[in-house]
Every structure is written in C-alpha cells, then in structure tokens.
Coordinates of all heavy atoms in Angstrom, one line a residue:
M1 N 30.2 51.2 -27.8 CA 30.5 50.3 -29.0 C 31.8 49.5 -28.7 O 32.7 50.0 -28.0 CB 30.8 51.3 -30.2 CG 31.2 50.5 -31.4 SD 31.4 51.7 -32.8 CE 32.9 51.1 -33.5
N2 N 31.8 48.3 -29.2 CA 33.0 47.4 -29.0 C 34.1 48.0 -29.9 O 33.8 48.5 -31.0 CB 32.7 46.0 -29.4 CG 31.8 45.3 -28.4 OD1 32.3 45.1 -27.3 ND2 30.6 44.9 -28.7
K3 N 35.3 47.8 -29.5 CA 36.4 48.2 -30.3 C 36.7 47.2 -31.4 O 37.2 47.5 -32.5 CB 37.6 48.4 -29.4 CG 38.7 49.3 -29.9 CD 39.7 49.6 -28.9 CE 40.8 50.4 -29.6 NZ 42.1 50.4 -28.9
F4 N 36.5 45.9 -31.1 CA 36.8 44.9 -32.1 C 35.5 44.1 -32.4 O 34.6 44.0 -31.5 CB 37.8 43.9 -31.5 CG 39.1 44.6 -31.2 CD1 39.4 44.9 -29.9 CD2 40.0 44.9 -32.2 CE1 40.6 45.6 -29.6 CE2 41.2 45.5 -31.9 CZ 41.5 45.9 -30.6
C5 N 35.4 43.6 -33.6 CA 34.3 42.8 -34.0 C 34.2 41.6 -33.1 O 35.2 40.9 -32.8 CB 34.5 42.3 -35.4 SG 33.4 41.0 -36.0
Q6 N 33.0 41.3 -32.6 CA 32.8 40.2 -31.6 C 32.7 38.8 -32.3 O 32.4 37.8 -31.7 CB 31.6 40.5 -30.7 CG 31.8 41.7 -29.8 CD 33.0 41.5 -28.9 OE1 33.0 40.6 -28.1 NE2 34.0 42.3 -29.0
S7 N 33.0 38.8 -33.6 CA 33.0 37.5 -34.3 C 34.4 37.2 -34.8 O 34.9 36.1 -34.7 CB 32.0 37.6 -35.5 OG 32.3 36.6 -36.4
C8 N 35.1 38.2 -35.4 CA 36.4 37.9 -36.0 C 37.6 38.6 -35.3 O 38.7 38.2 -35.5 CB 36.5 38.2 -37.5 SG 36.4 40.0 -37.8
G9 N 37.3 39.6 -34.5 CA 38.3 40.2 -33.7 C 39.0 41.4 -34.4 O 40.0 42.0 -33.9
M10 N 38.6 41.7 -35.6 CA 39.2 42.8 -36.4 C 38.7 44.1 -35.8 O 37.6 44.2 -35.3 CB 39.0 42.7 -37.9 CG 39.6 41.4 -38.5 SD 41.4 41.3 -38.2 CE 41.7 39.6 -38.4
P11 N 39.4 45.2 -36.0 CA 38.9 46.5 -35.5 C 37.6 46.9 -36.2 O 37.5 46.7 -37.4 CB 40.0 47.5 -35.9 CG 41.3 46.6 -36.1 CD 40.8 45.3 -36.5
L12 N 36.7 47.4 -35.4 CA 35.3 47.7 -35.9 C 35.3 49.1 -36.5 O 34.4 49.3 -37.4 CB 34.3 47.7 -34.7 CG 33.4 46.5 -34.5 CD1 32.4 46.8 -33.5 CD2 32.7 46.1 -35.8
E13 N 36.1 50.0 -36.1 CA 36.0 51.3 -36.6 C 36.1 51.4 -38.1 O 36.9 50.8 -38.7 CB 37.2 52.1 -36.0 CG 36.9 53.6 -36.1 CD 38.1 54.4 -35.6 OE1 39.1 53.9 -35.3 OE2 37.9 55.7 -35.5
K14 N 35.1 52.1 -38.6 CA 34.9 52.2 -40.1 C 34.6 50.9 -40.8 O 34.5 50.9 -42.0 CB 36.1 52.9 -40.7 CG 36.4 54.2 -40.2 CD 37.4 55.0 -41.1 CE 37.8 56.3 -40.6 NZ 38.9 56.2 -39.7
H15 N 34.4 49.8 -40.1 CA 34.1 48.6 -40.7 C 32.9 47.9 -40.1 O 32.8 46.7 -40.1 CB 35.3 47.6 -40.7 CG 36.4 48.2 -41.4 ND1 36.5 48.2 -42.8 CD2 37.6 48.7 -41.0 CE1 37.6 48.8 -43.2 NE2 38.3 49.0 -42.1
Q16 N 32.0 48.7 -39.5 CA 30.8 48.1 -38.8 C 29.9 47.4 -39.8 O 29.6 47.9 -40.9 CB 30.1 49.2 -38.1 CG 30.8 49.7 -36.9 CD 30.3 51.0 -36.4 OE1 30.7 52.1 -36.8 NE2 29.3 50.9 -35.6
G17 N 29.3 46.3 -39.4 CA 28.2 45.7 -40.2 C 26.9 46.4 -40.0 O 26.9 47.5 -39.3
T18 N 25.9 45.9 -40.6 CA 24.6 46.7 -40.6 C 23.5 45.8 -40.0 O 23.5 44.6 -40.1 CB 24.1 47.1 -42.0 OG1 24.2 45.9 -42.9 CG2 25.0 48.2 -42.5
E19 N 22.6 46.5 -39.3 CA 21.4 45.8 -38.7 C 20.3 45.7 -39.8 O 20.4 46.4 -40.8 CB 20.9 46.6 -37.5 CG 21.9 46.7 -36.3 CD 22.2 45.3 -35.7 OE1 21.5 44.3 -36.0 OE2 23.2 45.2 -34.9
T20 N 19.2 45.0 -39.4 CA 18.1 44.9 -40.4 C 17.5 46.3 -40.8 O 17.1 46.4 -42.0 CB 16.9 44.1 -39.8 OG1 16.8 44.4 -38.4 CG2 17.1 42.6 -40.0
D21 N 17.6 47.3 -40.0 CA 17.0 48.6 -40.3 C 18.1 49.5 -40.9 O 17.9 50.7 -41.2 CB 16.4 49.3 -39.1 CG 17.4 49.5 -38.0 OD1 18.6 49.1 -38.1 OD2 17.0 49.9 -36.9
G22 N 19.3 48.9 -41.2 CA 20.3 49.7 -41.9 C 21.3 50.5 -41.0 O 22.2 51.1 -41.5
T23 N 21.0 50.5 -39.7 CA 21.9 51.1 -38.8 C 23.2 50.3 -38.6 O 23.2 49.1 -38.9 CB 21.3 51.4 -37.4 OG1 20.9 50.1 -36.9 CG2 20.1 52.3 -37.4
L24 N 24.2 50.9 -38.2 CA 25.5 50.2 -38.0 C 25.5 49.4 -36.8 O 25.0 49.8 -35.7 CB 26.7 51.2 -38.0 CG 26.9 52.0 -39.3 CD1 28.0 53.1 -39.1 CD2 27.3 51.1 -40.4
S25 N 26.1 48.2 -36.9 CA 26.2 47.3 -35.7 C 27.3 47.7 -34.8 O 28.4 48.2 -35.3 CB 26.5 45.9 -36.2 OG 26.8 45.1 -35.1
N26 N 27.1 47.7 -33.5 CA 28.1 48.0 -32.5 C 28.9 46.7 -32.1 O 29.7 46.8 -31.2 CB 27.5 48.7 -31.3 CG 27.0 50.0 -31.6 OD1 27.6 50.7 -32.5 ND2 25.9 50.5 -31.0
E27 N 28.5 45.6 -32.7 CA 29.1 44.3 -32.3 C 30.0 43.7 -33.3 O 31.0 43.1 -33.0 CB 28.0 43.3 -31.9 CG 27.0 43.8 -31.0 CD 27.2 43.5 -29.6 OE1 28.1 42.6 -29.3 OE2 26.7 44.1 -28.7
Y28 N 29.5 43.8 -34.6 CA 30.2 43.0 -35.6 C 30.6 43.8 -36.8 O 29.9 44.8 -37.2 CB 29.2 41.9 -36.1 CG 28.8 41.0 -34.9 CD1 27.5 40.9 -34.5 CD2 29.7 40.1 -34.3 CE1 27.1 40.1 -33.4 CE2 29.4 39.3 -33.3 CZ 28.1 39.3 -32.8 OH 27.7 38.5 -31.8
C29 N 31.6 43.3 -37.6 CA 32.1 44.0 -38.7 C 31.4 43.7 -40.0 O 30.6 42.7 -40.0 CB 33.6 43.8 -38.9 SG 34.0 42.2 -39.6
E30 N 31.6 44.4 -41.0 CA 31.0 44.3 -42.3 C 31.3 42.9 -43.0 O 30.6 42.5 -43.9 CB 31.3 45.4 -43.2 CG 32.8 45.5 -43.5 CD 33.3 46.8 -44.2 OE1 32.4 47.6 -44.5 OE2 34.5 46.9 -44.5
M31 N 32.4 42.3 -42.6 CA 32.8 41.1 -43.2 C 32.1 39.9 -42.6 O 32.0 38.8 -43.1 CB 34.3 40.9 -43.1 CG 35.1 41.8 -44.1 SD 36.9 41.8 -43.8 CE 37.1 42.2 -42.1
C32 N 31.6 40.1 -41.3 CA 30.9 39.0 -40.6 C 29.4 39.2 -40.6 O 28.7 38.2 -40.5 CB 31.4 39.0 -39.1 SG 33.1 38.6 -38.9
Y33 N 28.9 40.4 -40.7 CA 27.5 40.7 -40.4 C 26.9 41.7 -41.3 O 27.5 42.7 -41.6 CB 27.5 41.2 -38.9 CG 26.3 41.3 -38.2 CD1 25.7 40.2 -37.7 CD2 25.7 42.5 -37.9 CE1 24.5 40.3 -36.9 CE2 24.5 42.6 -37.2 CZ 23.9 41.5 -36.7 OH 22.8 41.6 -35.9
R34 N 25.7 41.4 -41.9 CA 25.1 42.3 -42.8 C 23.6 42.2 -42.7 O 23.1 41.0 -42.6 CB 25.5 42.0 -44.2 CG 25.1 43.0 -45.2 CD 25.5 42.6 -46.6 NE 26.9 42.5 -46.8 CZ 27.5 41.6 -47.6 NH1 26.8 40.7 -48.3 NH2 28.9 41.5 -47.6
D35 N 22.9 43.3 -42.6 CA 21.4 43.3 -42.5 C 20.9 42.4 -41.3 O 19.9 41.7 -41.4 CB 20.8 42.7 -43.8 CG 21.1 43.6 -45.0 OD1 21.3 44.8 -44.8 OD2 21.2 43.0 -46.1
G36 N 21.6 42.5 -40.2 CA 21.1 41.9 -39.0 C 21.4 40.4 -38.9 O 20.9 39.7 -38.0
Q37 N 22.2 39.9 -39.9 CA 22.5 38.4 -39.9 C 24.0 38.2 -40.1 O 24.7 39.0 -40.8 CB 21.8 37.7 -41.0 CG 20.3 37.8 -40.9 CD 19.6 37.1 -42.1 OE1 20.2 37.0 -43.2 NE2 18.4 36.6 -41.8
F38 N 24.5 37.1 -39.5 CA 25.9 36.7 -39.9 C 25.9 36.3 -41.3 O 25.0 35.6 -41.8 CB 26.3 35.5 -39.0 CG 26.6 35.9 -37.6 CD1 26.0 35.3 -36.5 CD2 27.6 36.8 -37.3 CE1 26.3 35.6 -35.2 CE2 28.0 37.1 -36.0 CZ 27.3 36.6 -35.0
I39 N 27.0 36.7 -42.0 CA 27.1 36.4 -43.4 C 27.3 34.9 -43.6 O 26.8 34.3 -44.5 CB 28.2 37.3 -44.0 CG1 27.8 38.7 -44.1 CG2 28.6 36.7 -45.4 CD1 28.8 39.7 -44.4
E40 N 28.1 34.3 -42.6 CA 28.3 32.9 -42.7 C 27.9 32.3 -41.3 O 28.7 32.1 -40.4 CB 29.8 32.5 -42.9 CG 30.2 32.9 -44.3 CD 31.7 32.8 -44.4 OE1 32.4 33.7 -43.9 OE2 32.2 31.8 -45.0
P41 N 26.6 32.0 -41.1 CA 26.1 31.6 -39.8 C 26.7 30.3 -39.3 O 26.8 30.0 -38.1 CB 24.6 31.5 -40.0 CG 24.4 31.5 -41.4 CD 25.5 32.1 -42.1
N42 N 27.2 29.5 -40.2 CA 27.7 28.1 -39.8 C 29.2 28.0 -39.7 O 29.7 26.9 -39.6 CB 27.2 27.1 -40.8 CG 25.7 27.1 -40.8 OD1 25.0 27.1 -39.8 ND2 25.1 27.0 -42.0
I43 N 29.9 29.1 -39.9 CA 31.4 29.0 -39.8 C 31.8 28.6 -38.4 O 31.1 28.9 -37.4 CB 32.0 30.4 -40.1 CG1 33.5 30.2 -40.3 CG2 31.7 31.5 -39.1 CD1 34.2 31.5 -41.0
T44 N 32.8 27.7 -38.3 CA 33.2 27.2 -37.0 C 34.4 28.1 -36.5 O 35.0 28.8 -37.2 CB 33.7 25.7 -37.1 OG1 34.9 25.7 -37.9 CG2 32.7 24.8 -37.7
F45 N 34.6 27.8 -35.2 CA 35.7 28.5 -34.6 C 37.0 28.3 -35.3 O 37.8 29.2 -35.6 CB 35.9 28.1 -33.1 CG 37.0 28.7 -32.3 CD1 36.8 30.0 -31.7 CD2 38.2 28.1 -32.3 CE1 37.8 30.6 -31.0 CE2 39.3 28.7 -31.6 CZ 39.1 30.0 -31.0
D46 N 37.3 27.0 -35.7 CA 38.5 26.7 -36.4 C 38.6 27.4 -37.7 O 39.7 27.8 -38.1 CB 38.7 25.2 -36.5 CG 39.0 24.5 -35.2 OD1 39.5 25.2 -34.3 OD2 38.7 23.3 -35.1
Q47 N 37.5 27.4 -38.4 CA 37.5 28.1 -39.7 C 37.8 29.6 -39.6 O 38.5 30.2 -40.4 CB 36.2 27.9 -40.4 CG 36.0 26.5 -41.0 CD 34.6 26.2 -41.4 OE1 33.6 26.7 -40.9 NE2 34.5 25.3 -42.4
M48 N 37.2 30.2 -38.6 CA 37.4 31.6 -38.3 C 38.9 31.9 -38.0 O 39.5 32.8 -38.4 CB 36.5 32.1 -37.2 CG 36.5 33.6 -37.0 SD 36.0 34.6 -38.4 CE 34.3 34.6 -38.2
L49 N 39.4 31.0 -37.2 CA 40.8 31.1 -36.7 C 41.7 31.1 -37.9 O 42.6 31.9 -38.1 CB 41.1 29.9 -35.8 CG 42.5 29.9 -35.1 CD1 42.6 31.2 -34.2 CD2 42.6 28.7 -34.2
K50 N 41.5 30.1 -38.8 CA 42.3 29.9 -40.0 C 42.2 31.2 -40.9 O 43.2 31.7 -41.4 CB 41.9 28.7 -40.8 CG 42.8 28.4 -42.0 CD 42.4 27.2 -42.7 CE 43.4 26.9 -43.9 NZ 43.5 28.0 -44.8
R51 N 41.0 31.7 -41.1 CA 40.8 32.8 -41.9 C 41.6 34.1 -41.3 O 42.2 34.8 -42.1 CB 39.3 33.1 -42.0 CG 39.1 34.4 -42.8 CD 37.6 34.6 -43.0 NE 37.0 33.4 -43.5 CZ 35.7 33.3 -43.8 NH1 34.9 34.3 -43.5 NH2 35.2 32.2 -44.3
G52 N 41.5 34.2 -40.0 CA 42.1 35.4 -39.4 C 43.6 35.3 -39.6 O 44.3 36.3 -39.9
I53 N 44.2 34.1 -39.4 CA 45.6 33.9 -39.5 C 46.1 34.1 -41.0 O 47.1 34.8 -41.2 CB 46.0 32.5 -39.0 CG1 45.9 32.5 -37.4 CG2 47.4 32.1 -39.4 CD1 46.1 31.2 -36.8
D54 N 45.3 33.6 -41.9 CA 45.6 33.9 -43.3 C 45.6 35.4 -43.6 O 46.5 35.9 -44.3 CB 44.6 33.2 -44.3 CG 44.8 31.7 -44.3 OD1 45.8 31.2 -43.8 OD2 43.9 31.0 -44.8
G55 N 44.6 36.0 -43.1 CA 44.5 37.5 -43.3 C 45.7 38.2 -42.7 O 46.2 39.1 -43.3
L56 N 46.1 37.8 -41.5 CA 47.3 38.4 -40.9 C 48.6 38.1 -41.7 O 49.4 39.0 -41.9 CB 47.5 37.9 -39.5 CG 46.5 38.4 -38.5 CD1 46.6 37.6 -37.2 CD2 46.6 39.9 -38.2
N57 N 48.7 36.9 -42.2 CA 49.8 36.5 -43.0 C 49.9 37.4 -44.3 O 51.0 37.7 -44.8 CB 49.7 35.1 -43.4 CG 50.5 34.2 -42.5 OD1 51.6 34.6 -42.0 ND2 50.0 33.0 -42.2
N58 N 48.7 37.7 -44.8 CA 48.7 38.5 -46.1 C 48.7 40.0 -45.9 O 48.7 40.8 -46.8 CB 47.5 38.1 -46.9 CG 47.5 36.7 -47.4 OD1 48.6 36.2 -47.7 ND2 46.4 36.0 -47.5
S59 N 48.8 40.4 -44.6 CA 48.7 41.9 -44.4 C 50.1 42.5 -44.6 O 51.1 41.8 -44.7 CB 48.2 42.1 -42.9 OG 49.2 41.7 -42.0
Q60 N 50.1 43.8 -44.6 CA 51.4 44.5 -44.9 C 52.2 44.8 -43.6 O 53.1 45.6 -43.7 CB 51.0 45.9 -45.5 CG 50.2 45.7 -46.8 CD 51.0 45.0 -47.9 OE1 52.1 45.2 -48.1 NE2 50.3 44.0 -48.5
R61 N 52.0 44.1 -42.5 CA 52.7 44.4 -41.3 C 54.1 43.8 -41.4 O 54.4 42.9 -42.3 CB 52.0 43.7 -40.1 CG 50.7 44.2 -39.9 CD 49.9 43.3 -38.9 NE 48.5 43.6 -38.9 CZ 48.0 44.6 -38.3 NH1 48.7 45.4 -37.5 NH2 46.7 44.8 -38.3
N62 N 55.0 44.2 -40.5 CA 56.3 43.6 -40.5 C 56.3 42.2 -39.9 O 55.3 41.8 -39.2 CB 57.4 44.5 -39.9 CG 57.2 44.6 -38.4 OD1 57.1 43.6 -37.7 ND2 57.2 45.8 -37.9
L63 N 57.3 41.4 -40.2 CA 57.2 40.0 -39.8 C 57.0 39.8 -38.3 O 56.3 38.9 -37.8 CB 58.5 39.3 -40.2 CG 58.5 37.8 -40.2 CD1 57.5 37.3 -41.2 CD2 59.9 37.3 -40.6
F64 N 57.7 40.6 -37.5 CA 57.6 40.4 -36.0 C 56.2 40.7 -35.6 O 55.6 39.9 -34.8 CB 58.6 41.4 -35.3 CG 58.5 41.3 -33.8 CD1 59.1 40.3 -33.1 CD2 57.7 42.2 -33.1 CE1 59.0 40.2 -31.8 CE2 57.6 42.1 -31.8 CZ 58.2 41.1 -31.1
S65 N 55.6 41.8 -36.0 CA 54.3 42.1 -35.6 C 53.3 41.0 -36.1 O 52.3 40.7 -35.4 CB 53.9 43.5 -35.9 OG 53.0 43.6 -36.9
K66 N 53.5 40.5 -37.3 CA 52.6 39.4 -37.8 C 52.7 38.2 -36.9 O 51.7 37.7 -36.5 CB 53.2 39.0 -39.1 CG 52.4 39.6 -40.3 CD 52.9 38.9 -41.6 CE 52.8 39.9 -42.7 NZ 53.3 39.3 -44.0
K67 N 53.9 37.8 -36.5 CA 54.1 36.6 -35.7 C 53.5 36.8 -34.4 O 52.8 35.9 -33.8 CB 55.6 36.3 -35.5 CG 56.2 35.7 -36.8 CD 57.4 34.8 -36.4 CE 58.1 34.2 -37.5 NZ 57.3 33.4 -38.4
F68 N 53.6 38.0 -33.8 CA 53.1 38.3 -32.5 C 51.5 38.2 -32.6 O 50.9 37.6 -31.7 CB 53.5 39.7 -32.1 CG 53.0 40.0 -30.7 CD1 53.6 39.5 -29.6 CD2 52.0 40.9 -30.5 CE1 53.1 39.8 -28.3 CE2 51.5 41.3 -29.3 CZ 52.1 40.7 -28.2
M69 N 50.9 38.8 -33.6 CA 49.5 38.8 -33.7 C 48.9 37.4 -34.0 O 47.9 37.1 -33.5 CB 49.1 39.8 -34.8 CG 49.4 41.2 -34.4 SD 48.7 42.4 -35.5 CE 46.9 42.3 -35.1
I70 N 49.6 36.7 -34.8 CA 49.2 35.3 -35.1 C 49.2 34.4 -33.8 O 48.3 33.7 -33.5 CB 50.0 34.7 -36.2 CG1 49.6 35.4 -37.6 CG2 49.8 33.2 -36.3 CD1 50.6 35.1 -38.7
W71 N 50.3 34.7 -33.0 CA 50.4 34.0 -31.7 C 49.2 34.3 -30.8 O 48.6 33.5 -30.2 CB 51.7 34.3 -31.1 CG 51.8 33.8 -29.7 CD1 52.2 32.5 -29.4 CD2 51.5 34.4 -28.5 NE1 52.2 32.3 -28.0 CE2 51.8 33.5 -27.4 CE3 51.1 35.7 -28.1 CZ2 51.6 33.8 -26.1 CZ3 50.9 36.0 -26.8 CH2 51.1 35.1 -25.8
G72 N 48.8 35.6 -30.8 CA 47.8 36.0 -29.9 C 46.4 35.8 -30.4 O 45.4 35.9 -29.6
Y73 N 46.2 35.6 -31.7 CA 44.9 35.6 -32.3 C 43.9 34.5 -31.6 O 42.8 34.9 -31.3 CB 45.0 35.4 -33.8 CG 43.7 35.6 -34.5 CD1 43.0 36.8 -34.4 CD2 43.1 34.6 -35.3 CE1 41.8 37.0 -35.1 CE2 41.9 34.8 -35.9 CZ 41.3 36.0 -35.8 OH 40.1 36.1 -36.5
P74 N 44.4 33.3 -31.5 CA 43.4 32.3 -30.9 C 42.9 32.7 -29.5 O 41.7 32.5 -29.2 CB 44.3 31.0 -30.7 CG 45.4 31.2 -31.6 CD 45.7 32.7 -31.8
Y75 N 43.8 33.4 -28.7 CA 43.3 33.8 -27.4 C 42.3 35.0 -27.5 O 41.4 35.1 -26.7 CB 44.6 34.3 -26.5 CG 45.6 33.2 -26.4 CD1 46.7 33.1 -27.3 CD2 45.4 32.2 -25.4 CE1 47.6 32.1 -27.1 CE2 46.4 31.2 -25.3 CZ 47.4 31.1 -26.2 OH 48.3 30.1 -26.0
Q76 N 42.6 35.9 -28.4 CA 41.7 37.0 -28.6 C 40.3 36.5 -29.1 O 39.3 36.9 -28.6 CB 42.3 37.9 -29.7 CG 41.4 39.2 -29.9 CD 41.8 39.9 -31.2 OE1 42.6 39.5 -32.0 NE2 41.2 41.1 -31.3
L77 N 40.4 35.5 -30.1 CA 39.1 35.0 -30.7 C 38.3 34.3 -29.6 O 37.0 34.5 -29.6 CB 39.5 34.0 -31.8 CG 38.6 33.8 -32.9 CD1 38.2 35.1 -33.6 CD2 39.1 32.8 -33.9
K78 N 38.9 33.6 -28.7 CA 38.1 32.8 -27.7 C 37.4 33.7 -26.8 O 36.4 33.3 -26.2 CB 39.1 32.0 -26.9 CG 39.2 30.6 -27.3 CD 40.1 29.8 -26.4 CE 41.0 28.9 -27.3 NZ 42.1 28.3 -26.5
K79 N 37.8 35.0 -26.6 CA 37.2 35.9 -25.7 C 36.0 36.6 -26.3 O 35.2 37.3 -25.6 CB 38.2 36.9 -25.2 CG 39.2 36.3 -24.3 CD 39.9 37.5 -23.6 CE 41.4 37.2 -23.7 NZ 42.2 38.4 -23.7
L80 N 35.8 36.5 -27.6 CA 34.8 37.3 -28.3 C 33.4 36.7 -28.0 O 33.2 35.5 -27.8 CB 35.0 37.3 -29.8 CG 36.4 38.0 -30.2 CD1 36.6 37.8 -31.7 CD2 36.4 39.4 -29.7
A81 N 32.3 37.6 -28.0 CA 31.0 37.1 -27.7 C 30.5 35.9 -28.5 O 29.8 35.1 -28.0 CB 30.0 38.3 -27.9
R82 N 30.9 35.9 -29.8 CA 30.4 34.8 -30.7 C 30.9 33.5 -30.3 O 30.3 32.4 -30.6 CB 30.7 35.1 -32.1 CG 30.1 34.2 -33.1 CD 30.3 34.6 -34.5 NE 29.6 33.7 -35.4 CZ 29.6 33.8 -36.8 NH1 30.3 34.8 -37.3 NH2 28.9 32.9 -37.5
W83 N 32.1 33.4 -29.7 CA 32.8 32.1 -29.4 C 32.9 31.8 -28.0 O 33.4 30.7 -27.6 CB 34.2 32.2 -30.0 CG 34.2 32.6 -31.5 CD1 34.6 33.8 -31.9 CD2 33.6 32.0 -32.6 NE1 34.4 33.9 -33.3 CE2 33.8 32.8 -33.7 CE3 33.0 30.7 -32.8 CZ2 33.4 32.4 -35.0 CZ3 32.6 30.4 -34.0 CH2 32.8 31.2 -35.1
R84 N 32.4 32.6 -27.1 CA 32.5 32.3 -25.7 C 31.6 31.1 -25.3 O 30.5 31.0 -25.8 CB 32.1 33.5 -24.9 CG 33.3 34.3 -24.4 CD 32.9 35.3 -23.3 NE 31.9 36.2 -23.7 CZ 32.1 37.6 -23.8 NH1 33.2 38.1 -23.6 NH2 31.1 38.4 -24.2
Ligands
LIG101 ZN1 34.1 40.5 -38.0

C-alpha cells in the first residue's frame, strides 16, 4: 500500500478511498476517490496544488512546519502517480 494518496499527497492511513466493489483503495484517499472513481475527475494540477496549500494553511500545525510543508508540497505533488 502507498503511504500517501497518489492524487493529493495526504497520508492514506485510515483515509483510504473505496473501489467499485467496496474494498479500500491502496492508491487514493477518501477525499479524492470513491467507488472506483475520482470524485473530481477534471481537477487540474494547479487546482489540487491550491487546495492542498489551503488545507495546510488551515491545519493546526505550527507556523514553521506549515511553511516547510507548503514549500515542499508542489514537489511532492508532482511525483504522485496521478500527476506524473
Ligand atoms: Zn487524496
């Protein structure tokens, strides 16, 4: 199983999406993928990037770790299966 969602880069553990037969996906999280399909099949790389950064900004982390993660997020996202 992948450690991170291959669409948005968030940790997969306890947040796996579902396949058409109801089993848990080993690739994508519940926010990206449900019943064997992407929830938003037409989302672009830039839209996903913005969403991830907004999510990090709104998270409860300290400022330093937020800045560090926001800095690294575009590089992480580019490596994921969905965006390669
Ligand atoms: Zn995801």
